[in-house]
Amino acid sequence: MALLPDGGTLDSYRRLFGLARGVENVPFLSWLGNSVLVTVLVTAGRVLFDSMAGYALARIRFPGRRLLFGFVLAVMAC
């Protein structure tokens, strides 16, 4: 048992980026693209809906506004 391995190789990285021969490659770029797409869409949706909610809480007077604002603050604090 050793802290560092005796002979290190880059085989795992070659396989990850599709450079390995004779083994099944990992579709890393597809996974990365899917993650970026989901991240961008979720972030854009959150910004849109959170902005609309913030505007409604700041400008529009309606019954239960203070309770809803308190609930939003409680959720953000957790």
Side-chain angles (χ1 to χ4, degrees):
M1 190 160 250
L3 185 60
L4 297 174
D6 291 334
T9 65
L10 299 175
D11 290 337
S12 296
Y13 290 105
R14 287 187 191 107
R15 183 174 174 222
L16 180 65
F17 292 112
L19 303 174
R21 295 179 188 213
V23 295
E24 183 180 347
N25 292 320
V26 178
F28 175 71
L29 293 178
S30 295
W31 294 346
L32 180 64
N34 290 340
S35 297
V36 168
L37 177 67
V38 168
T39 302
V40 167
L41 291 177
V42 167
T43 302
R46 290 291 308 257
V47 167
L48 175 70
F49 288 113
D50 292 347
S51 298
M52 290 190 301
Y55 181 83
L57 286 173
R59 297 289 184 172
I60 301 171
R61 306 286 183 222
F62 55 91
R65 178 177 155 262
R66 293 182 65 132
L67 179 66
L68 182 61
F69 183 69
F71 178 71
V72 169
L73 283 180
V75 168
M76 288 173 59
C78 291

